[in-house]
Amino acid sequence: MTYETLLVEQRGGVTLITLNRPQALNALNSQVLADLISALAAFDADPSQGCAVLTGSEKAFAAGADIKEMASQSFADMYGGNFFAGYDRVTATRKPVIAAVAGYALGGGCELAMMCDFIIAGDNAKFGQPEIKLAVTPGMGGSQRMARAIGKAKTMDMCLTGRMMDATEAEQSGLVARVVPVADLVEEAVKAATTIAGMAPLATLAVKEMVNAAFETTLQQGVVFERRLFHGLFGSEDQTEGMAAFVEKRPGNWTGR
Ligand code: CO8
């Protein structure tokens, strides 16, 4: 499958998705959204694929939603058409997705990175929610996901001033999981994704679901949800295999059942 705005390749069990609108610093227009939904749905449905990496270019992961596409839209267009609500389908991806961010991740670009399960940043990454400078606000979950990731004080600072945060600050704040030299970014992200893709598939789905539940539930509900998923995995063949493999000092051989 080929896409107008993405490059997609499989590296073993890892799907590498590269945003590819260099002329607009990977600004997210409606075509990018349609392509992304399609590529992630194909990844999720392919049993040979265990983890995806979403990346951009060395200069820009994505410099935001496409301002030129939005500029002439009315309230009726945006609200009536539920503009960009399709991104809910990006977050509905059940298998893990790592954002590998180099360069600018601004506005919708930062929000897209935060929709992924974790972010690995190149040391030149710059994160920001500069929508305030356009007299609008984050609209793809940025105010909510950033507040959960790095807390109120820094989120208010970022969203009210529109300033950029570099990779070091992003790591110290907990926005990104790791920072690596930008030249190694894709390789490092694919390496992490390969590790994830090598895990038992049902346990991997369960981890993603339970960590995400931490943002939707009370602690008590989340702990019970985690315990039930843990119990449920004892109905899987891979649990029997995983524990036998440990005892027999050999790698597990997963069936995804
Ligand atoms: N949209 C459209 N085109 C863009 C965007 C964008 N967000 N960002 C860059 N471009 C284009 C430029 O217009 C330029 O095109 P051209 O060559 O035709 O003039 C090309 O990309 C290169 O950009 P620059 O020349 O500006 O490159 P610089 O290196 O000088 O600057 C910056 C890089 C600092 C990243 C600068 O391009 C910039 O400030 N970009 C805009 C950043 C921004 O404001 N992002 C937020 C956008 S709003 C948003 O994301 C809202 C999300 C919520 C939507 C929710 C819907 C429900």
Side-chain angles (χ1 to χ4, degrees), residues 21-28 59-60 62-70 78 82-85 87 104-111 128-134 136-142 164:
R21 287 191 76 209
Q23 73 283 9
L25 300 184
N26 292 330
L28 307 169
K59 177 161 185 190
D66 192 315
I67 299 168
K68 292 166 189 167
E69 185 182 68
M70 290 186 295
M78 298 300 257
N82 212 2
F83 186 74
F84 271 15
Y87 275 101
Y104 296 111
L106 302 178
C110 185
E111 294 174 292
Q129 296 293 157
E131 293 92 337
I132 188 97
K133 296 181 187 171
L134 303 168
V136 290
T137 67
M140 288 162 53
M164 292 186 209

Side-chain angles (χ1 to χ4, degrees), residues 33-123:
L33 173 58
D35 288 351
L36 210 45
I37 288 171
S38 169
L40 286 170
F43 153 69
D44 230 10
D46 184 341
S48 75
Q49 299 298 288
C51 188
V53 172
L54 177 61
T55 196
S57 69
E58 193 166 321
K59 177 161 185 190
F61 176 75
D66 192 315
I67 299 168
K68 292 166 189 167
E69 185 182 68
M70 290 186 295
S72 60
Q73 303 289 311
S74 66
F75 170 75
D77 295 329
M78 298 300 257
Y79 183 62
N82 212 2
F83 186 74
F84 271 15
Y87 275 101
D88 290 347
R89 278 149 68 193
V90 170
T91 55
T93 307
R94 295 192 69 205
K95 295 177 196 167
V97 182
I98 301 172
V101 174
Y104 296 111
L106 302 178
C110 185
E111 294 174 292
L112 176 60
M114 290 190 290
M115 285 178 204
C116 297
D117 298 304
F118 64 94
I119 302 172
I120 299 180
D123 52 14

